[in-house]
Amino acid sequence: MSGIDTLPPLRDVIAAHGLSARKALGQNFLLDLNLTAKIARAAGDLTSCDVLEVGPGPGGLTRGLLAEGARRVLAIEKDARCLPALAEIAETYPGRLAVINADALGLDVSAHLAPPIKVVSNLPYNVGTELLVRWLTPPAWPPVWQSLTLMFQREVADRIVAQPGSKAYGRLAILAQWRTTARIALTLPPEAFTPPPKVHSAVVHLTALPAPRYPADPAVLERVVAKAFQQRRKMLRAALKGLAPDIEDRILAAGLTPTDRAEQIPIEGFCALARAVAG
Ligand code: SAM
């Protein structure tokens, strides 16, 4: 019996349901329920929240979320082989776990969740960044979710929390930190997973700010940042060529220097640049 519920240990669940890990689905399972409870706790108080979990697999993190008191968990799993194991968890926590067998990339879950909403997932690596970008670019801000607590490859986690001047600083850092506070909550070695991936992993916790840190049109900011980092070693005046005929004047109007390089410019500078370009 595990420390957090009366269900069988995950190794037995995987054997009973024949859940051999499939690489194409990014399946690296967490079998230590103390660890999954720790990840659930990194999301803060769940007791009054609906939690969205993408990719529950055999349900290790799902069990952590429910044991930590989540009001309701909505789990989206692409692999139908996992459904019987998840149904057993749903029986143990009546009325608190709903499972949808679908590709999370093609699904609008808003109708299935009630605020306050937190997203907590050990994401499949192949779709993790795409889902994060979607959650960070909703049609309006603040988003429907309060926080995102997500497992990524360590290298991606470092890019999310990166500061100006570092190699990892770029589009993902600006996108994430413009409208959230983002920090690494815990790091995990490959051996924490079954089977172990090739790389280290980290859980990133992002809390939505009520409003962006600095004013800017999201679409213009995205265009400016994408162009600036396309060739990150180039000076701004060269990198942003084509964005506006008088781009050098606009860079100066934003309080920046045309010879600056993208990786040195803080988020505030990019927002000023987006306003100058839009204006
Ligand atoms: N949460 C489990 C754990 O921590 O042990 C499993 C995590 S595993 C890294 C990723 C899970 O996401 C797998 O169960 C996989 O089948 C599922 N998955 C992969 N692509 C998906 C997609 N597009 N939509 C929903 N689930 C997906």
Side-chain angles (χ1 to χ4, degrees):
M1 198 174 80
S2 81
I4 61 167
D5 55 38
T6 55
L7 289 155
L10 282 156
R11 230 169 256 289
D12 296 355
V13 172
I14 285 172
H17 297 287
L19 300 177
S20 52
R22 291 196 178 148
K23 210 174 168 184
L25 285 167
Q27 291 183 334
N28 301 100
F29 300 132
L30 290 169
L31 304 189
D32 177 350
L33 291 164
N34 291 313
L35 186 55
T36 61
K38 196 168 164 184
I39 296 168
R41 284 197 294 276
D45 184 12
L46 301 175
T47 50
S48 61
C49 295
D50 275 13
V51 176
L52 170 64
E53 185 193 2
V54 173
L61 181 55
T62 320
R63 287 164 65 172
L65 294 166
L66 290 162
E68 289 301 314
R71 177 176 70 191
R72 241 181 106 252
V73 175
L74 175 67
I76 316 296
E77 175 55 62
K78 192 173 174 181
D79 185 355
R81 295 180 308 154
C82 299
L83 299 183
L86 296 167
E88 285 169 12
I89 303 173
E91 268 173 44
T92 307
Y93 294 94
R96 290 175 58 201
L97 172 62
V99 180
I100 300 180
N101 180 206
D103 182 337
L105 289 171
L107 193 70
D108 178 9
V109 293
S110 47
H112 301 272
L113 293 162
I117 298 164
K118 290 186 174 181
V119 182
V120 187
S121 299
N122 174 14
L123 292 172
Y125 288 146
N126 47 355
V127 294
T129 313
E130 182 165 352
L131 282 170
L132 173 67
V133 169
R134 286 189 191 191
W135 285 321
L136 289 173
T137 53
W141 200 270
V144 291
W145 48 267
Q146 273 187 352
S147 65
L148 309 172
T149 307
L150 306 171
M151 181 89 71
F152 290 101
Q153 300 174 53
R154 178 68 204 252
E155 176 262 329
V156 177
D158 286 342
R159 283 199 279 131
I160 296 167
V161 302
Q163 295 300 306
S166 68
K167 258 191 179 161
Y169 184 65
R171 286 174 76 181
L172 212 48
I174 294 165
L175 185 61
Q177 297 172 43
W178 179 42
R179 299 193 284 195
T180 79
T181 54
R183 64 179 172 81
I184 292 184
L186 63 145
T187 57
L188 289 92
E191 311 81 74
F193 302 86
T194 302
K198 287 202 174 67
V199 292
H200 280 65
S201 301
V203 174
V204 183
H205 183 69
L206 305 102
T207 310
L209 294 169
R213 286 180 201 278
Y214 315 101
D217 179 288
V220 181
L221 179 62
E222 168 59 20
R223 205 146 39 90
V224 168
V225 170
K227 210 148 166 53
F229 282 99
Q230 219 167 22
Q231 289 156 302
R232 55 187 297 129
R233 305 292 308 158
K234 270 198 176 174
M235 291 176 189
L236 273 188
R237 66 171 170 227
L240 298 181
K241 221 175 171 175
L243 212 55
D246 54 350
I247 193 62
E248 215 161 315
D249 292 344
R250 291 183 194 239
I251 294 169
L252 290 167
L256 300 172
T257 311
T259 51
D260 283 347
R261 288 181 168 80
E263 62 188 14
Q264 305 160 330
I265 299 169
I267 297 173
E268 187 175 7
F270 276 108
C271 291
L273 199 49
R275 292 195 302 275
V277 166

